[in-house]
């Protein structure tokens, strides 16, 4: 029988079938589109003002701080003297992911970091999941770092004027307090710097990074005088399980080396400088971490590390027998940890800027102030959220939640670099991961292993966080995505 339907001429004029539900979830944003719209926001554009030095300082500023000044005191009781090995394991995990970050940052130099890389390679749903993990990585780590800042502020006040902020106002509920006021204050101070502009914030960060590096070098020079080889006699008292658990906690110390990738739309020469800044910052930070941890454990028995989160200042005081050096280190730590808050808060605002431009979160996050060239409203909203979070939740819970979100995002980056090599091999790359896909596979394996070392409570928190994110995506982002809008020829 003849076909009784529409004639071929009419059938050819019908609109193409809309993609199915799965295809809509897997829609990818072309790399060319990502790069072409770099810097563009609602009402203005970000300004390209950052060179290699500033980008490297942003990554060091976001990484070097709470991990060594505060979280070290929580990790040593888990691993004993082998905490130095835990730092190496965490550093290797970061290194494998850093190689993948460096290649993708040079290929797709935009503000969204791993969120944008996932959008270009694995589709919108995976990109959203990655972006939601980055909110956990950056936003929650700002809060965690701010909590540690309050500890050293009290050390500084005690050593200078003999007064400390009462626990009720310097510790969150659950840690003996009501509201952590110092944590809120440091976030608001960082917000004030960021509202002034990226260049001004980068200058302030560079000064603070110089102070923190000098402080750690000073600690090693003085702390080594109290070194006792007997403190290393039982190197691995809690076995490899303890080393692994401490490594998972200490991975928090490496969060931030990817911060330079969030500045891709404000870098003068992003394709050249971003890979260099990421790798250079990780090498410097890892060397300092291992050296400081080795000196700290040698100067103080590992069993006594759980009594304070300001462990390095205490060691300085015990080794010298004077309060001056501990107070000086506390002063440097106050500046050092403030720089972490500043740079990580910067990274969070730029990731939300990219997600907003894609339509996955409200447009208010991509609105750029014409005078300063910064997303002002975005910065205020994120700062207030992080400040309240820091004032209300204990450090340990924040650090572990941050680590699991980061490890998940890093795992996706290791996958993305392999996918882009296969799908777009012709693209110019200013840096290439050696031995690909072996090293990206190792990076993914290390991330999975360290995620498995985190507590069940952390996994529950992560599951709840992801569930909330998926609900938001399907109710808002999936419907308002710019990729969901019909092309002009289809309207």
């Amino acid at each position: 029988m003849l076909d009784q339907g529409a004639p071929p001429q009419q059938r050819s004029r019908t609109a193409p079938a809309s993609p199915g539900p799965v295809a809509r979830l897997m829609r990818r944003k072309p790399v060319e589109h990502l790069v072409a719209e770099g810097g563009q926001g609602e009402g203005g554009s970000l300004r390209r003002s950052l060179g290699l030095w500033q980008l490297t300082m942003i990554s060091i500023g976001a990484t070097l701080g709470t991990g060594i000044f505060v979280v070290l005191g929580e990790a040593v009781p888990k691993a004993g003297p082998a905490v130095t090995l835990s730092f190496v394991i965490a550093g290797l995990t970061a290194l494998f992911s850093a190689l993948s970050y460096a290649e993708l940052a040079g290929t797709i130099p935009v503000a969204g970091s791993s969120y944008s890389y996932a959008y270009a390679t694995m589709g919108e749903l995976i990109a959203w999941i990655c972006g939601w993990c980055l909110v956990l990585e950056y936003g929650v780590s700002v809060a965690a770092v701010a909590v540690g800042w309050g500890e050293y502020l009290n050390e500084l006040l005690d050593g200078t004027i003999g007064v400390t902020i009462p626990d009720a106002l310097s510790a969150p509920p659950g840690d003996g307090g009501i509201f952590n006021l110092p944590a809120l204050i440091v976030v608001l101070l960082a917000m004030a710097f960021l509202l002034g502009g990226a260049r001004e914030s980068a200058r302030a960060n560079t000064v603070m990074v110089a102070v923190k590096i000098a402080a750690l070098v000073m600690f090693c020079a003085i702390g080594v005088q109290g070194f006792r080889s007997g403190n290393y006699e039982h190197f691995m008292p809690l076995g490899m399980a303890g080393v692994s658990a401490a490594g998972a906690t200490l991975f928090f110390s490496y969060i931030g080396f990817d911060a330079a990738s969030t500045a891709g739309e404000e870098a003068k020469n992003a394709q050249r400088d971003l890979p260099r800044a990421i790798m250079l910052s990780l090498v410097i930070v890892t060397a300092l971490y291992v050296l400081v941890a080795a000196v700290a454990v040698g100067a103080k028995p590992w069993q006594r590390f759980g009594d304070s989160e300001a462990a390095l200042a205490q060691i300085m005081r015990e080794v010298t027998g004077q309060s001056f050096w501990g107070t000086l280190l506390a002063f440097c730590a106050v500046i050092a940890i403030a720089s972490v808050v500043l740079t990580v808060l910067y990274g969070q605002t730029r990731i939300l800027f990219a997600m907003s431009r894609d339509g996955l979160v409200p447009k208010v996050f991509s609105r750029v102030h014409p005078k300063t060239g910064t997303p002002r409203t975005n910065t205020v909203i994120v700062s207030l959220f992080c400040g309240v979070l820091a004032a209300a939740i204990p450090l340990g819970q924040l650090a572990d939640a941050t680590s699991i979100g980061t490890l998940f995002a890093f795992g996706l980056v290791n996958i993305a670099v392999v996918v882009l090599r296969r799908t777009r091999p012709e693209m110019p790359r200013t840096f290439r991961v050696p031995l690909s896909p072996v090293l990206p596979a190792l990076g993914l394996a290390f991330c999975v292993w360290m995620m498995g070392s985190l507590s069940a409570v952390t996994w529950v928190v992560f599951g709840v966080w992801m569930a909330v994110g998926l609900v938001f995506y399907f109710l808002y982002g999936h419907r308002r995505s710019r990729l969901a809008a019909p092309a002009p020829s289809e309207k």
Side-chain angles (χ1 to χ4, degrees):
M1 293 180 63
L2 296 174
D3 185 1
Q4 300 298 316
Q9 293 85 351
Q10 292 183 9
R11 290 200 303 269
S12 65
R13 295 193 192 104
T14 58
S18 61
V22 176
R24 289 197 296 270
L25 295 177
M26 299 300 292
R27 54 198 175 202
R28 292 182 293 180
K29 189 171 185 179
V31 174
E32 291 78 10
H33 291 185
L34 282 166
V35 176
E37 66 186 18
Q40 299 175 16
E42 293 286 329
S45 299
L46 302 177
R47 296 175 181 171
R48 294 192 177 275
S49 58
L50 305 177
L52 174 61
W53 177 250
Q54 290 94 337
L55 292 170
T56 304
M57 291 299 103
I58 286 174
S59 281
I60 294 177
T63 311
L64 189 62
T66 305
I68 195 65
F69 283 104
V70 179
V71 178
L72 176 66
E74 295 188 2
V76 172
K78 297 180 180 180
V83 71
T84 52
L85 183 57
S86 299
F87 266 116
V88 172
I89 292 173
L92 281 174
T93 304
L95 173 62
F96 289 134
S97 296
L99 292 170
S100 295
Y101 261 103
E103 176 169 330
L104 291 173
T107 309
I108 314 174
V110 293
S113 186
S114 52
Y115 155 76
S116 296
Y117 310 152
Y119 214 163
T121 57
M122 291 178 281
E124 186 173 282
L125 178 60
I126 302 300
W128 168 264
I129 291 173
C130 186
W132 195 243
C133 287
L134 290 176
V135 173
L136 188 62
E137 172 189 348
Y138 281 86
V140 179
S141 67
V142 167
V145 170
V147 173
W149 186 82
E151 292 285 335
Y152 274 95
L153 179 63
N154 261 340
E155 287 280 335
L156 176 61
L157 293 174
D158 185 41
T160 53
I161 60 177
V163 175
T164 59
I165 302 172
D167 288 345
L169 294 177
S170 63
D175 274 4
I178 299 174
F179 193 79
N180 194 330
L181 184 60
L184 176 60
I185 290 174
V186 71
V187 174
L188 295 180
L189 287 173
M191 178 187 75
F193 275 107
L194 290 176
L195 291 177
R199 179 187 296 176
E200 292 73 15
S201 301
R203 288 173 178 169
N205 174 66
T206 299
V207 174
M208 291 188 281
V209 168
V211 170
K212 75 170 83 177
I213 292 177
L216 292 176
V217 171
M218 177 186 71
F219 169 81
C220 292
I222 294 176
V224 74
Q225 299 175 30
F227 192 92
R228 300 290 183 270
S229 59
N231 290 339
Y232 277 92
E233 284 184 359
H234 303 289
F235 183 70
M236 201 180 294
L238 302 174
M240 196 61 198
V243 173
S244 176
T249 296
L250 287 172
F251 188 76
F252 177 80
S253 308
Y254 290 91
I255 292 172
F257 74 80
D258 57 322
S261 66
T262 67
E265 296 174 25
E266 290 161 283
K268 296 176 182 177
N269 190 338
Q271 290 184 308
R272 183 196 68 187
D273 293 341
L274 289 180
R276 297 179 180 180
I278 290 171
M279 298 307 301
L280 183 59
S281 64
L282 186 61
V283 169
I284 294 172
V285 166
T286 301
L288 280 171
Y289 277 170
V290 174
L291 181 61
V292 171
V295 171
V297 174
K300 183 175 182 177
W302 69 270
Q303 298 91 338
R304 293 174 47 212
F305 268 82
D307 57 358
S308 173
E309 290 176 336
L312 299 189
Q314 283 193 350
I315 291 173
M316 293 276 280
R317 190 179 299 112
E318 293 170 3
V319 168
T320 62
Q322 302 175 9
S323 61
F324 169 77
W325 295 106
T327 302
L328 179 60
L329 186 73
F331 169 75
C332 294
V334 166
I335 296 176
I337 298 173
S339 77
V340 180
V341 175
L342 174 67
T343 49
V344 175
L345 192 63
Y346 167 84
Q348 176 64 94
T349 59
R350 270 44 178 188
I351 289 166
L352 285 173
F353 174 87
M355 296 176 73
S356 172
R357 187 171 56 199
D358 292 332
L360 301 186
V361 298
K363 289 184 178 181
V364 66
F365 290 100
S366 58
R367 190 174 299 152
V368 177
H369 192 275
K371 183 178 180 180
T372 62
T374 60
R376 276 194 167 185
T377 306
N378 177 346
T379 302
V380 172
I381 293 173
V382 172
S383 300
L384 293 177
F385 171 79
C386 294
V388 172
L389 197 65
I393 301 180
L395 172 65
Q397 296 176 20
L398 289 171
D400 284 347
T402 302
S403 293
I404 195 169
T406 306
L407 287 164
F408 192 92
F410 283 8
L412 291 178
V413 169
N414 285 296
I415 297 173
V417 75
V418 176
V419 172
L420 195 63
R421 284 272 191 105
R422 298 292 179 87
T423 57
R424 300 293 303 275
E426 80 288 353
M427 288 192 66
R429 290 166 169 83
T430 55
F431 177 86
R432 299 178 70 92
V433 179
L435 302 177
S436 179
V438 176
L439 291 188
L442 285 174
L444 175 61
F446 267 76
C447 289
V448 172
W449 174 49
M450 298 195 75
M451 287 176 72
S453 300
L454 292 168
S455 68
V457 173
T458 302
W459 275 96
V460 170
V461 171
F462 182 65
V464 172
W465 176 262
M466 294 308 301
V468 171
L470 289 173
V471 169
F472 185 89
Y473 170 71
F474 284 108
L475 291 180
Y476 183 92
H478 182 63
R479 300 169 183 268
R480 296 174 178 264
S481 167
R482 286 183 60 189
L483 290 187
S489 59
E490 298 174 6
K491 292 182 179 179

